[in-house]
Amino acid sequence: MAAAAVMVEAAAPTGALWGLVQDFVMGQQESPADQVAAGTAGSAAKLLQGSGRRERPSHPRTAGRELRGRDVKSGNYTVLKVVEALGSSLENPEPRTRARGIQLLSQVLLQCHSLLLEKEVVHLILFYENRLKDHHLVIPSVLQGLRALSLCVALPPGLAVSVLKAIFQEVHVQSLLQVDRHTVFSIITNFMQSREEELKDLGADFTFGFIQVMDGEKDPRNLLVAFHIVHDLISRDYSLGPFVEELFEVTSCYFPIDFTPPPNDPYGIQRDDLILSLRAVLASTPRFAEFLLPLLIEKVDSEILSAKLDSLQTLNACCAVYGQKELKDFLPSLWASIRREVFQTASERVEAEGLAALHSLTACLSRSVLRADAEDLLNSFLSNILQDCRHHLCEPDMKLVWPSAKLLQTAAGASARACDHITSNVLPLLLEQFHKHSQSNQRRTILEMILGFLKLQQKWSYEDKDERPLSGFKDQLCSLVFMAITDPSTQLQLVGIRTLTVLGAQPDLLSSGDLELAIGHLYRLSFLEEDSQSCRMAALEASGALASFYPGAFSSYLLPKLAKELQRDVTREHGPNKCSRHLLCLQALSAVSTHPSIVKETLPLLLQHLWQANKGNVVIGFNDIIAICQSLQQVAEKCHRDPDSCWYFHETALPCLFALAVQASMPEDSSVLRKVLLEDEVLAALASVISTATIHLSSELAAQSVTRIVPLFLDGNISFLPENSFPSRFQPFQDGCSRQRRLVVLLMAFVCSLPRNVEIPQLTQLMRELLELSCCPGCPFSSTAAAKCFAGLLNKHPAGQQLDEFLQLAVDTVEAGLGAGSSRSQAFTLLLWVTKALVLRYHPLSSCLTARLMGLLSDPELGPAAADGFSLLMSDCTDVLTRACHADVRIMFRQRFFTDNVPDLVQGFHAAPQDVKPNYLKGLSHVLNRLPKPVLLPELPTLLSLLLEALSCTDSVVQLSTLSCLQPLLLEAPQIMSLHIDTLVTKFLNLSSSPSMAVRIAALQCMNALTHLPTPVLLPYKPQVIRALAKPLDDKKRLVRKEAVSARGEWFLLGSPGS
Amino acid sequence: MVGGGGSGGLLENANPLIYERSGERPVTPGEEDEQVPDSIDAREIFDLIRSINDPEHPLTLEELNVVEQVRVQVSDPESTVAVAFTPTIPHCSMATLIGLSIKVKLLRSLPQRFKMDVHITPGTHASEHAVNKQLADKERVAAALENTHLLEVVNQCLSARS
């Protein structure tokens, strides 16, 4: 059957094609020409084809394309045939008909240009070039055809040039429509990509031709292409000949770009696209410099902010390719403009761009290689800057002092040479000015400027010690710093301390004598009284920074003093100062432990201090122990970068701390201090030291440690503890001794911080003991610690049978506990922690457990706790189950939890009896509150009604968390929120007189955020809101009044001029 | 009431003295306690006006030392506030505008019970008396705020810097 059909079709091919062609040419009105063309081409090809499948007629367009490709490839059919079939219409005296004919041919070519043969191309080109002279109605179709041919691989050499010449000569491009102009630009682009060499042979004529094509272009779509072509012309080194200025004119007339895309623009061209592509053109060659720089100066001097910014940014871009030659004549004007912008501007962006331009100008001048006899422009440029800025530095109270300093520092930051030049001029001046001015605040400004210049020195490294520009000023600088840090003004002291740190960071600058003096001052500052906290903190930070450079100096000058201070404190004094000095000394010790060799001295000091206290040599209180733990923890944190230090800390501190704790837990022990050691907070502080000291251990070392610590708890093996002659056995998991059980929190801190691949000995036994302890009534502290420890281990355990067994055990324990009356709350805590451990790692069982937890929301006894539990599930823990302690925490767990559970929560809320509804709302608001806002936004429409209902809930926790959830949404989803404006205004205003201060504050913050909704929505409420907000202005609490003031201020500005 | 703003052209005082900004008021435990009432004090009033922008510099009134905490008198029980401000130069044409901004800020931020008095620090401005009289006249203040251009400048002074 198919064969018969082919026969029939083959019988009258030309006739059928002729008919279809005529249909197309004449049938202009019936359907879109494009579609007809594709359909016709398809049918025509099909008819001409000697063999082959028949395509389904439902896709004429694809069929056409496919068949044509195959036809031409198989040689059954040539473009010539289409031309022949078109014959009369191509020559028709009626231009419209000719246009239709050529349009069909061009569309056919566009579909099969890659398959054309060379001789076909030659003929087609000749034909099309000739048609360029034709009637203007025909031109668009001719250009389409040329575009198709410009994509041909088979284009013989020489034809590209001839096509372009013909276009340049025959077509007045700017009188064409936008689409057709775009076609011309595409033809040029295509040839530039494939025929670069040929076009270059055309010399500057090509450039000139293009200039004429582009001249007067207004459409942003075409401009983007045109700018791209110009950029290629320049960057690929086409000959510009005498047309440099013309090329500049034809592009620079668009500078600065002023374009606002129309609303709902389908082309998506932004202002920035045009700005950046024009900037790429303008800044692409130094040959434009003589024309561009005057233009930039003119535009910087204009009143329009965007023109200033664009000009400064373009100047900045130019400096990357310019040299001294280009800049030379314009430097004074450029400097004057930049200076004015920085001195007088009201916009920080202009100031920043001005400084950036100055930076690249200076860098550009520093980069150029000089001939021996040439003038060094950098020097004269910098001298200009210095001349205009120097005298302002001498007036530290006046406004221009900082802009001047910024200009100088920016220039100095551009190159080592500039830095030298400016520093050597400015530093002596500033040093002199410091002594000339006697007020502390003036001195502070001057010292702060000096600090800025010193910091710049760090950018450049000097090989030779004598070359360093600072060495000559070292003594003066040191004496200045010491004056500053002994000044009564805190502000001056602070700058002094920062300057000292920067001086210390300069290699080989400070002498041993300077260091001794500096350390003396730092020691004094570390013990400052309460009212100069900021100085003391700065001094501690400086000690830490300097100690890492000069560990030797610190261990000989500072540590002995601190050790003595600690001793003195402990042994003799009992004054009111005792306590605070003791704390300050501990903080100083930890602050300075930034170098491994210093840790080796400070850690034993701290531990010995703790041990002394334990021996009863001194009376030591709760706060002291906490302070020592905090210091130890800080030392541990500072060790983490150095593996050896880390292990040293672990090896030294852990046995000592465990020994102290174990001894304190002995039933026979009854001293006061030992009681203190077992208090919740102290144990938590110890736990946190242990955890920090374990987190950064390598797996090998951690594995070594775990074989001693787990047996200590399971078997009472105390052999690795110092001074281990305890009166009784240590059996924390055995019944009886509740003191010993409390130490499970220390075990938790250790095992839950281990790297994931460390194998834990006796794991099954450990897990069983933990589960048992977690449901033990009577001591919530130890049962919670056991539950957390169990959860922490569960989270890291690899999936498999053993994990499933542990989980089964846990579920059984939870269910048994929830059933029994006595330990329900313990079982609930265990459930919560196990759920969290599984939610974090996306374990499949987590959904069952979450459902169980949700069920408890309507439990009369555990409901409120379950609601709060959602907060725990969604928040980050501090001690276990964190990424820092190697837990398996998936990044999207909150989103996932939200998607899986919020629908059920909402449903549960609607189904729940009235008295437990608040539990659901509370749970929900905890979940929403912790969720990243972008995730919440799409879900907002469905949840919003519930959130609004939650605002009417009487529970202030629900109110507060709902408000804090709504506040960012008001800023980020103003359109959706606008729909509920009436409810929002009413409820927020109601809550602004809530009895709870936190709710009042949050409600007023929401009132403030409301002003971000579209103004027309708000205006009807303005009078009412302004009246209502007068009331909280007189609130009894200052913090509430503050929020009321800012909210009311914003409402006043709504729809008012100048806002 | 006053001349145009300082847009364009030369500034009257291009290089004024700059003063340090005081930090945020630290929050005391008393302020966080629900029960303890905090009375409106001079610092609170000063905090309201110190961040007002100067009409011609990108600086606040505090940085230009136009307002100072010592020049704020307040009595919460008697519901009175008096603020004296000091123009940067004795012929400053912005004095009335600055005074108006302070006045408007206080009107918008203080409970209605307060009676407020905004005036120039004695002896610091050439036409001190005339300006004080304008600022004290309720009707002239209200009339000034009906003027769109003036309201625009005042609102700009009161907007938070972006």
Side-chain angles (χ1 to χ4, degrees):
Chain A
M1 188 199 85
V6 170
M7 290 280 283
V8 174
E9 285 172 357
T14 18
L17 176 62
W18 190 85
L20 285 165
V21 165
Q22 286 309 308
D23 280 356
F24 175 80
V25 173
M26 296 308 176
Q28 305 164 1
Q29 315 305 332
E30 285 85 50
S31 54
D34 175 48
Q35 206 175 335
V36 177
T40 310
S43 319
K46 199 157 60 185
L47 286 165
L48 282 167
Q49 190 181 24
S51 63
R53 281 171 308 171
R54 299 189 62 162
E55 293 295 328
R56 262 168 290 148
S58 55
H59 299 292
R61 199 187 264 269
T62 23
R65 225 170 268 147
E66 268 180 35
L67 284 170
R68 178 138 326 274
R70 211 180 301 133
D71 294 340
V72 180
K73 219 186 319 185
S74 61
N76 290 334
Y77 163 64
T78 62
V79 177
L80 188 60
K81 291 250 166 82
V82 179
V83 177
E84 280 170 0
L86 278 165
S88 66
S89 49
L90 293 180
E91 290 163 3
N92 195 299
E94 170 56 40
R96 277 179 210 284
T97 315
R98 281 205 306 285
R100 290 294 281 184
I102 296 176
Q103 188 186 350
L104 174 65
L105 180 61
S106 298
Q107 287 180 359
V108 168
L109 292 179
L110 272 175
Q111 287 175 17
C112 66
H113 58 79
S114 58
L115 300 158
L116 293 178
L117 301 173
E118 188 173 313
K119 65 172 193 228
E120 290 168 340
V121 175
V122 174
H123 286 293
L124 285 166
I125 294 246
L126 270 178
F127 167 72
Y128 273 106
E129 276 181 9
N130 195 262
R131 285 301 93 198
L132 281 172
K133 299 191 175 98
D134 202 338
H135 192 274
H136 70 90
L137 281 176
V138 179
I139 300 296
S141 308
V142 176
L143 290 173
Q144 282 300 326
L146 286 172
R147 181 164 80 88
L149 293 168
S150 72
L151 291 163
C152 275
V153 195
L155 192 75
L159 284 187
V161 169
S162 122
V163 168
L164 287 178
K165 271 186 173 165
I167 292 179
F168 291 160
Q169 201 173 339
E170 305 295 344
V171 187
H172 184 242
V173 177
Q174 286 306 320
S175 58
L176 300 174
L177 292 176
Q178 183 269 328
V179 190
D180 304 320
R181 300 199 304 272
H182 195 272
T183 309
V184 176
F185 287 123
S186 307
I187 295 172
I188 299 177
T189 310
N190 292 340
F191 282 143
M192 283 177 78
Q193 267 161 16
S194 57
R195 314 274 153 179
E196 187 174 332
E197 289 311 313
E198 290 176 43
L199 299 197
K200 280 184 177 168
D201 289 342
L202 200 54
D205 287 351
F206 175 54
T207 310
F208 182 65
F210 174 73
I211 290 173
Q212 284 183 313
V213 168
M214 185 186 171
D215 196 2
E217 180 59 60
K218 283 194 191 66
D219 190 278
R221 289 163 283 177
N222 291 355
L223 279 176
L224 274 185
V225 189
F227 289 155
H228 197 74
I229 295 176
V230 184
H231 185 258
D232 281 354
L233 279 179
I234 296 167
S235 64
R236 300 217 193 139
D237 209 19
Y238 282 78
S239 160
L240 305 186
F243 304 114
V244 176
E245 187 168 2
E246 278 79 1
L247 190 62
F248 174 75
E249 288 300 332
V250 85
T251 45
S252 67
C253 60
Y254 302 100
F255 183 85
I257 296 274
D258 183 20
F259 166 67
T260 320
N264 310 320
D265 177 23
Y267 305 102
I269 294 180
Q270 296 297 313
R271 191 167 166 268
D272 274 356
D273 301 331
L274 286 165
I275 290 184
L276 292 176
S277 57
L278 177 58
R279 183 174 303 153
V281 169
L282 296 178
S284 60
T285 170
R287 282 185 283 177
F288 282 168
E290 54 174 320
F291 317 113
L292 179 59
L293 289 172
L295 178 67
L296 292 181
I297 292 168
E298 181 194 321
K299 297 298 176 193
V300 174
D301 296 356
S302 80
E303 289 285 318
I304 305 158
L305 184 74
S306 61
K308 282 179 195 287
L309 288 172
D310 198 356
S311 309
L312 289 167
Q313 285 164 347
T314 307
L315 175 60
N316 196 341
C318 287
C319 290
V321 293
Y322 286 7
Q324 298 217 352
K325 184 164 70 74
E326 285 77 23
L327 292 171
K328 186 170 186 234
D329 294 336
F330 302 99
L331 283 175
S333 317
L334 285 170
W335 162 241
S337 296
I338 292 176
R339 185 191 58 205
R340 189 198 53 236
E341 292 311 315
V342 176
F343 274 1
Q344 288 196 0
T345 188
S347 150
E348 280 176 23
R349 280 187 64 203
V350 174
E351 184 196 73
E353 291 302 340
L355 292 173
L358 178 64
H359 183 273
S360 15
L361 268 179
T362 318
C364 176
L365 294 175
S366 316
R367 198 171 51 223
S368 311
V369 183
L370 289 182
R371 277 180 295 126
D373 55 337
E375 177 199 9
D376 184 359
L377 284 178
L378 179 67
N379 274 338
S380 54
F381 183 63
L382 294 177
S383 304
N384 248 334
I385 301 183
L386 279 163
Q387 195 192 341
D388 289 346
C389 294
R390 264 180 77 99
H391 58 279
H392 290 305
L393 300 187
C394 308
E395 301 170 332
D397 291 328
M398 309 302 256
K399 178 193 166 194
L400 289 183
V401 65
W402 276 114
S404 303
K406 277 185 202 165
L407 285 166
L408 286 167
Q409 285 169 359
T410 306
S415 71
R417 212 143 60 86
C419 190
D420 265 7
H421 186 113
I422 291 180
T423 314
S424 61
N425 267 285
V426 169
L427 215 47
L429 174 76
L430 287 175
L431 289 169
E432 178 198 305
Q433 288 298 319
F434 186 91
H435 296 289
K436 263 196 188 157
H437 290 88
S438 53
Q439 289 179 25
S440 298
N441 58 349
Q442 296 169 330
R443 289 187 156 190
R444 184 188 76 146
T445 305
I446 297 170
L447 188 57
E448 212 157 334
M449 287 192 277
I450 295 179
L451 176 62
F453 286 104
L454 293 180
K455 276 185 183 163
L456 287 174
Q457 294 288 325
Q458 294 171 326
K459 275 178 84 171
W460 319 108
S461 59
Y462 295 90
E463 299 284 306
D464 188 358
K465 196 179 172 186
D466 299 329
E467 261 183 40
R468 288 188 195 122
L470 285 190
S471 30
F473 300 111
K474 192 263 288 176
D475 289 335
Q476 274 178 287
L477 283 168
C478 282
S479 79
L480 213 79
V481 165
F482 294 142
M483 273 170 87
I485 53 184
T486 44
D487 194 274
S489 152
T490 312
Q491 298 300 324
L492 184 52
Q493 285 181 30
L494 277 173
V495 187
I497 295 167
R498 277 159 54 207
T499 315
L500 177 62
T501 317
V502 173
L503 281 179
Q506 300 275 336
D508 304 322
L509 187 69
L510 298 185
S511 70
S512 157
D514 299 330
L515 279 171
E516 185 173 357
L517 213 55
I519 291 171
H521 282 298
L522 288 174
Y523 174 76
R524 176 181 59 81
L525 293 169
S526 305
F527 288 92
L528 283 178
E529 295 303 323
E530 293 237 336
D531 49 346
S532 30
Q533 280 301 305
S534 54
C535 259
R536 195 173 65 79
M537 298 315 290
L540 292 182
E541 202 177 312
S543 306
L546 292 175
S548 63
F549 295 116
Y550 311 100
F554 274 82
S555 82
S556 40
Y557 300 134
L558 185 65
L559 293 183
K561 282 189 184 174
L562 289 177
K564 211 168 138 202
E565 182 69 42
L566 209 57
Q567 289 301 321
R568 184 176 69 120
D569 220 9
V570 165
T571 45
R572 285 196 293 275
E573 263 176 58
H574 291 282
N577 272 343
K578 177 204 161 198
C579 184
S580 68
R581 267 191 91 80
H582 184 174
L583 293 181
L584 300 184
C585 183
L586 288 170
Q587 289 180 10
L589 274 172
S590 61
V592 83
S593 305
T594 47
H595 191 275
S597 74
I598 294 185
V599 173
K600 292 218 161 75
E601 296 186 54
T602 51
L603 179 60
L605 266 175
L606 289 168
L607 291 176
Q608 196 189 3
H609 190 57
L610 202 55
W611 203 251
Q612 289 283 326
N614 184 50
K615 289 250 175 81
N617 291 351
V618 277
V619 184
I620 190 169
F622 172 83
N623 288 331
D624 300 297
I625 303 255
I626 296 274
I628 297 174
C629 290
Q630 281 166 350
S631 285
L632 281 170
Q633 171 155 7
Q634 276 162 22
V635 176
E637 274 161 14
K638 294 200 166 88
C639 286
H640 76 89
R641 272 195 214 98
D642 178 48
D644 291 340
S645 273
C646 211
W647 179 238
Y648 169 75
F649 189 99
H650 190 89
E651 270 286 276
T652 317
L654 260 61
C656 177
L657 297 180
F658 275 116
L660 280 172
V662 169
Q663 180 159 32
S665 73
M666 291 296 147
E668 292 81 2
D669 198 291
S670 60
S671 68
V672 181
L673 171 77
R674 293 177 183 177
K675 234 186 206 160
V676 169
L677 263 178
L678 293 184
E679 282 191 34
D680 294 1
E681 289 89 343
V682 176
L683 280 176
L686 282 172
S688 134
V689 177
I690 290 171
S691 166
T692 313
T694 309
I695 283 170
H696 299 287
L697 281 188
S698 70
S699 305
E700 295 75 43
L701 294 174
Q704 217 173 310
S705 190
V706 77
T707 54
R708 293 184 303 212
I709 290 170
V710 172
L712 167 69
F713 280 83
L714 288 181
D715 314 328
N717 182 346
I718 51 168
S719 56
F720 81 102
L721 301 180
E723 306 198 20
N724 57 3
S725 52
F726 303 122
S728 15
R729 292 205 58 190
F730 179 59
Q731 294 170 314
F733 287 113
Q734 303 298 311
D735 290 339
C737 184
S738 68
R739 280 188 189 185
Q740 296 194 351
R741 264 189 241 156
R742 298 173 69 82
L743 299 200
V744 171
V745 74
L746 303 185
L747 175 67
M748 171 199 88
F750 174 74
V751 289
C752 290
S753 306
L754 290 170
R756 241 184 271 178
N757 56 356
V758 173
E759 197 177 326
I760 294 164
Q762 301 167 275
L763 183 62
T764 314
Q765 191 198 343
L766 178 62
M767 294 298 257
R768 283 175 188 279
E769 298 282 15
L770 286 170
L771 268 186
E772 197 171 318
L773 180 54
S774 72
C775 281
C776 205
C779 175
F781 182 82
S782 31
S783 61
T784 306
K788 282 163 85 172
C789 186
F790 182 81
L793 291 170
L794 208 58
N795 174 272
K796 289 189 209 177
H797 199 80
Q801 198 197 344
Q802 198 179 23
L803 180 68
D804 296 341
E805 282 169 22
F806 289 149
L807 281 172
Q808 193 54 50
L809 266 178
V811 171
D812 293 347
T813 315
V814 166
E815 290 304 335
L818 286 176
S822 60
S823 56
R824 285 195 82 204
S825 87
Q826 282 79 4
F828 167 75
T829 309
L830 177 64
L831 169 65
L832 193 59
W833 282 100
V834 171
T835 312
K836 180 159 177 84
L838 297 187
V839 164
L840 290 180
R841 64 180 277 183
Y842 293 178
H843 192 279
L845 194 65
S846 65
S847 54
C848 288
L849 295 179
T850 316
R852 185 77 181 93
L853 203 59
M854 231 182 279
L856 289 175
L857 282 172
S858 37
D859 185 291
E861 187 190 352
L862 294 173
D868 286 331
F870 281 89
S871 162
L872 183 112
L873 288 183
M874 295 297 277
S875 56
D876 291 318
C877 295
T878 50
D879 46 2
V880 292
L881 293 173
T882 65
R883 281 202 190 89
C885 60
H886 313 288
D888 187 354
V889 181
R890 303 296 189 88
I891 36 173
M892 309 284 267
F893 82 90
R894 289 190 182 87
Q895 285 89 317
R896 195 166 159 138
F897 188 85
F898 170 80
T899 330
D900 290 351
N901 297 300
V902 162
D904 294 345
L905 264 177
V906 173
Q907 211 180 355
F909 167 79
H910 290 302
Q914 204 57 39
D915 57 329
V916 293
K917 270 188 196 289
N919 293 341
Y920 283 89
L921 277 180
K922 202 171 188 175
L924 185 70
S925 65
H926 282 311
V927 177
L928 298 185
N929 224 348
R930 308 273 178 178
L931 199 67
K933 295 304 167 238
V935 183
L936 186 50
L937 285 181
E939 307 295 331
L940 193 59
T942 49
L943 290 172
L944 201 55
S945 61
L946 207 64
L947 281 174
L948 295 178
E949 194 158 345
L951 282 181
S952 315
C953 176
T954 49
D955 183 339
S956 68
V957 176
V958 176
Q959 287 170 355
L960 194 58
S961 102
T962 313
L963 287 170
S964 58
C965 183
L966 283 172
Q967 200 255 2
L969 294 178
L970 287 167
L971 306 180
E972 284 163 46
Q975 299 299 341
I976 305 173
M977 302 301 267
S978 300
L979 303 175
H980 303 272
I981 175 75
D982 201 58
T983 322
L984 290 171
V985 168
T986 319
K987 299 220 162 155
F988 291 157
L989 284 178
N990 275 341
L991 289 176
S992 73
S993 52
S994 145
S996 150
M997 170 170 135
V999 172
R1000 293 204 297 279
I1001 290 176
L1004 289 167
Q1005 282 167 342
C1006 284
M1007 277 315 290
N1008 193 339
L1010 267 183
T1011 60
H1012 290 261
L1013 302 193
T1015 311
V1017 178
L1018 299 172
L1019 280 181
Y1021 297 90
K1022 183 173 169 179
Q1024 172 200 348
V1025 169
I1026 285 180
R1027 256 196 323 277
L1029 287 179
K1031 193 177 156 234
L1033 288 181
D1034 213 1
D1035 198 282
K1036 67 174 177 178
K1037 297 306 297 175
R1038 184 168 294 131
L1039 295 173
V1040 180
R1041 293 198 293 265
K1042 196 175 150 206
E1043 297 301 336
V1045 164
S1046 56
R1048 196 164 188 254
E1050 289 301 321
W1051 274 87
F1052 261 108
L1053 292 177
L1054 278 177
S1056 189
S1059 55
Chain B
M1 193 166 176
V2 287
S7 64
L10 285 175
L11 302 178
E12 274 186 11
N13 185 6
N15 191 12
L17 266 161
I18 309 288
Y19 293 78
E20 199 182 327
R21 267 184 292 200
S22 37
E24 286 291 302
R25 179 179 196 157
V27 177
T28 62
E31 286 175 353
E32 282 171 341
D33 184 339
E34 299 256 7
Q35 306 310 321
V36 186
D38 318 313
S39 66
I40 296 179
D41 58 11
R43 173 68 202 249
E44 188 168 336
I45 303 291
F46 180 64
D47 278 338
L48 291 175
I49 56 176
R50 70 192 180 98
S51 54
I52 296 176
N53 303 312
D54 181 81
E56 58 171 15
H57 291 285
L59 294 166
T60 64
L61 296 188
E62 179 186 22
E63 287 168 307
L64 292 168
N65 213 34
V66 172
V67 294
E68 292 165 277
Q69 192 176 331
V70 290
R71 303 200 186 282
V72 173
Q73 312 294 328
V74 60
S75 161
D76 195 359
E78 291 167 26
S79 300
T80 54
V81 175
V83 173
F85 67 99
T86 319
T88 52
I89 46 174
H91 293 282
C92 182
S93 66
M94 298 289 154
T96 324
L97 189 54
I98 294 172
L100 188 61
S101 301
I102 297 175
K103 185 114 190 181
V104 171
K105 177 73 187 186
L106 293 180
L107 281 170
R108 291 179 182 178
S109 314
L110 282 179
Q112 271 173 337
R113 62 187 166 92
F114 274 86
K115 181 174 169 1
M116 51 197 74
D117 165 34
V118 175
H119 59 270
I120 292 183
T121 313
T124 59
H125 196 267
S127 36
E128 175 189 331
H129 187 64
V131 175
N132 285 347
K133 209 172 150 192
Q134 283 182 325
L135 288 173
D137 188 333
K138 269 187 191 164
E139 283 174 18
R140 292 185 76 169
V141 170
L145 294 178
E146 297 284 312
N147 175 334
T148 320
H149 173 65
L150 214 48
L151 183 60
E152 182 179 342
V153 183
V154 168
N155 278 340
Q156 274 163 0
C157 293
L158 300 187
S159 298
R161 275 247 177 266
S162 52

